[in-house]
């Protein structure tokens, strides 16, 4: 049990103006990069250093893996709410797109309500008092196959030559949806108590929505598997050990979830200046409840090890309980896990993050973490 951290920011991206390195090292290392050392070799020494390091982690993620998530100019987003539907119009560079999201008020609770944004819908039980918002990710950026890159409303606005991966395009769309929630009356949703969830490929989306928008209070990626909760290097290691597991080399030929720059690195993930334990660090200090499963293809050992290592970022900062990890079978949520999930939803969405929260760490997969990293975990004051 521990004291709460301040979970949400007022803006999508907090520009901490620390300056970014002109380049990153691409030296091959099969172990996971040290999240506690800046690119110039300086150590992260205190909690106050994290916002700069966070910005420095976000940068290579967008440059080499995710593609660019543009931030629209002020006033680019307009919303209107009617009959349970929020319509969002974004106008940039003389072009406009409009998309809409269905908002369902909860049974029980008091308006304005917290809500969970479902990427293509939600596959977890939502407790009383929490509403839901359905985001149509496929129309924002297509995910049919690897040739889907450049198709969807995001690309209608920014052009099909944008390097943005589909999941990053969805993250952009959800951020615009939140802009519209903030500026539009009548929907009865509290934009400061938003969660995000989605299962499987859409869980890959949920994770990145929470990582790239600091207004999200609780991120619940369900069975996001390879390319999200799993670490690239650990999946490659598992593959080399004979597992039937999805790797970066495979995933870029399957779909358009990643930015086009990733095609250069997917077969040499050991050279990347990032891995997905650092994605977990982008969600810190906000709530994160990772739900995984035992399907070999999705990488149970990779997800467990990657997230246990990612959790070290929470624990180094004294926020262990803001992160939960729990596993089960595919896109079916067993009632045995409801207590843990509800504790996170209640803490971050209904109670707005006040009070204490108990850490959850449940997985049937076992991993020896020292195989995958060798840096020191500081205790950040
Ligand atoms: C967990 O996400 C994916 C996985 O990456 C794909 O290889 C597989 O085809 O589908 C999974 C999924 O989205 O299942 C619904």
């Amino acid at each position: 049990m521990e004291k709460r951290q301040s979970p949400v920011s007022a803006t999508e991206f907090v520009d901490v103006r620390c300056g970014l390195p002109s380049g990153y090292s691409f030296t091959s290392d099969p172990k996971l990069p040290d999240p506690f050392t800046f690119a110039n070799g300086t150590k992260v020494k205190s909690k106050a250093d994290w916002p700069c390091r966070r910005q420095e982690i976000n940068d290579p993620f967008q440059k080499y893996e995710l593609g660019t998530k543009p931030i629209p100019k002020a006033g680019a987003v307009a919303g209107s709410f009617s009959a349970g539907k929020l319509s969002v119009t974004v106008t940039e560079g003389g072009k406009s797109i409009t998309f809409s999201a269905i908002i369902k008020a909860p049974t029980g609770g008091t308006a304005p309500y917290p809500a969970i944004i479902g990427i293509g819908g939600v596959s977890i039980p939502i407790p009383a008092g929490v509403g839901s918002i359905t985001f149509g990710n496929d129309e924002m950026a297509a995910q049919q196959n690897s040739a889907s890159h450049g198709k969807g409303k995001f690309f209608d606005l920014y052009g099909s030559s944008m390097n943005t991966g589909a999941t990053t395009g969805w993250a952009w769309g959800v951020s615009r949806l939140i802009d519209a929630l903030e500026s539009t009356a009548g929907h009865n949703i509290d934009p400061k108590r938003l969660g995000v969830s989605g299962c499987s490929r859409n869980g890959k989306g949920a994770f990145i929505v929470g990582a790239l928008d600091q207004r999200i209070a609780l991120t619940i990626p369900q069975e996001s598997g390879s390319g999200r909760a799993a670490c690239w290097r650990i999946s490659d290691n598992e593959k080399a050990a004979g597992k039937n597991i999805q790797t970066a080399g495979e995933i870029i030929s399957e779909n358009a979830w990643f930015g086009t720059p990733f095609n250069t690195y997917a077969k040499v993930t050991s050279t990347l200046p990032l891995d997905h334990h650092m994605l977990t660090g982008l969600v810190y200090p906000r709530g994160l409840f990772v739900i995984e499963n035992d399907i070999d293809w999705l990488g149970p050992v990779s997800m467990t090890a990657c997230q246990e290592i990612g959790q070290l970022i929470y624990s180094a900062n004294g926020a262990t309980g803001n992160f939960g990890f729990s596993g089960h079978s595919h896109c079916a949520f067993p009632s045995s896990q409801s207590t843990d999930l509800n504790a996170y939803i209640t803490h971050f969405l209904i109670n707005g993050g006040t009070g204490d929260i108990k850490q959850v760490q449940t997985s049937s997969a076992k991993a020896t973490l020292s195989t995958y990293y060798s840096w020191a975990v500081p205790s950040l004051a």
Side-chain angles (χ1 to χ4, degrees), residues 200-201 204 223-226 246 251 254 257 297-298 330:
S200 212
R201 57 196 59 208
K204 299 187 206 302
E223 305 177 48
S224 60
S226 172
Q246 182 168 40
I251 208 166
E254 181 181 324
W257 294 312
W297 183 245
L298 304 188
H330 202 45

Side-chain angles (χ1 to χ4, degrees), residues 182-272:
E182 288 174 341
S183 65
T184 310
H187 51 65
N188 279 339
I189 299 297
D190 181 356
K192 291 194 174 58
R193 290 186 297 156
L194 292 174
V196 63
S197 190
C199 190
S200 212
R201 57 196 59 208
N202 296 341
K204 299 187 206 302
F207 209 140
I208 212 66
V209 167
L212 299 183
D213 194 321
Q214 295 179 50
R215 294 172 295 184
I216 297 280
L218 176 61
T219 300
I220 313 172
Q222 184 181 5
E223 305 177 48
S224 60
S226 172
R228 278 302 120 88
C231 274
W232 296 125
R233 285 168 174 84
I234 304 178
S235 298
D236 281 343
N237 198 52
E238 289 280 287
K239 173 87 179 169
K243 297 269 179 65
N244 175 31
I245 182 171
Q246 182 168 40
T247 60
E250 190 280 342
I251 208 166
I252 52 159
S253 61
E254 181 181 324
N255 218 304
W257 294 312
F258 300 94
T260 49
F262 195 52
N263 294 337
T264 308
Y265 304 103
K267 295 211 162 94
V268 282
T269 61
S270 64
T271 64
L272 280 167

Side-chain angles (χ1 to χ4, degrees), residues 4-5 7-8 112-115 127-130 190 192-194 217-218 342-357:
R4 84 166 171 124
Q5 310 290 303
V8 277
Y113 307 106
V130 179
D190 181 356
K192 291 194 174 58
R193 290 186 297 156
L194 292 174
L218 176 61
N342 283 346
Y344 272 70
I345 295 178
T346 303
H347 179 73
F348 286 101
L349 300 188
I350 296 181
N351 295 338
T354 41
D356 295 331
I357 174 104

